[in-house]
Amino acid sequence: MSWDIFLNAHHNGENHYFPLSIVLKAFGPAITFKQINEHSCTLLMEYVNPDAEKYNICPVSDAEINQEIIVVEDEIMIAGFCINRPPGHEDFWKSLYTVIRLAPAVLYWSAGEDKPCMAIGRVEMAHHLPQSMRDALGEPVLVGGYQDILKLLKA
């Protein structure tokens, strides 16, 4: 079964951008492939599953980001990204938490009715989300760490 998570930047109810450098620093050592050209960027992150043999699971989990970029005052910026089938590795979720803590961004996913499905890492982000997003997905939850995101996903 396929499952996606989304991370998007917002400011005053509009789509916004943040420096790609935040993503590069957050995912750092997990990035095994990086390609940045004039209009887009591709990142591949890999996570070793140390208990793969014990639990008969894939020895390496991966995640890929393909995103359009813009350059603002010599800085590469992105509006966000989507990850299909995010890995369960804790380091992946720690990196996502770092991004929503440092960037003007929200992390969200599809969830059942009345289940929280938006996480923010900074309290002021709640005021920047589009009303249509809040109407569709409910109110965002302020998370204090990656563990809080994982708890929301399991709710």
Side-chain angles (χ1 to χ4, degrees):
M1 181 165 122
S2 184
W3 177 64
D4 299 318
I5 57 171
F6 306 89
L7 187 143
N8 290 103
H10 296 282
H11 182 74
N12 291 332
E14 302 292 330
N15 291 334
H16 198 59
Y17 294 91
F18 63 93
L20 176 62
S21 61
I22 291 174
V23 175
L24 296 176
K25 288 178 188 169
F27 286 98
I31 298 172
T32 58
F33 176 81
K34 175 176 72 172
Q35 181 178 34
I36 301 172
N37 63 40
E38 187 177 347
H39 300 289
S40 67
C41 123
T42 299
L43 303 174
L44 178 63
M45 290 81 66
E46 292 184 348
Y47 301 90
V48 174
N49 296 319
D51 294 327
E53 198 170 306
K54 179 179 176 182
Y55 295 108
N56 195 27
I57 59 175
C58 186
V60 176
S61 298
D62 62 15
E64 185 174 335
I65 295 174
N66 293 298
Q67 186 61 40
E68 291 181 8
I69 60 171
I70 65 169
V71 178
V72 177
E73 298 177 4
D74 295 327
E75 183 153 29
I76 300 172
M77 308 285 276
I78 64 172
F81 52 84
C82 168
I83 296 182
N84 179 258
R85 296 182 180 155
H89 202 282
E90 284 187 3
D91 288 344
F92 172 80
W93 296 99
K94 287 177 185 177
S95 297
L96 277 180
Y97 172 71
T98 298
V99 174
I100 64 170
R101 189 174 45 81
L102 298 176
V106 59
L107 177 67
Y108 61 102
W109 55 91
S110 176
E113 192 173 319
D114 296 327
K115 290 186 178 183
C117 61
M118 279 198 300
I120 54 175
R122 303 175 351 188
V123 69
E124 66 272 13
M125 267 312 297
H127 307 292
H128 291 289
L129 299 176
Q131 188 60 48
S132 60
M133 186 177 206
R134 295 163 83 129
D135 291 344
L137 300 174
E139 291 301 311
V141 175
L142 178 64
V143 294
Y146 78 96
Q147 303 93 332
D148 293 340
I149 297 170
L150 295 175
K151 286 177 191 172
L152 287 174
L153 291 168
K154 292 176 184 176

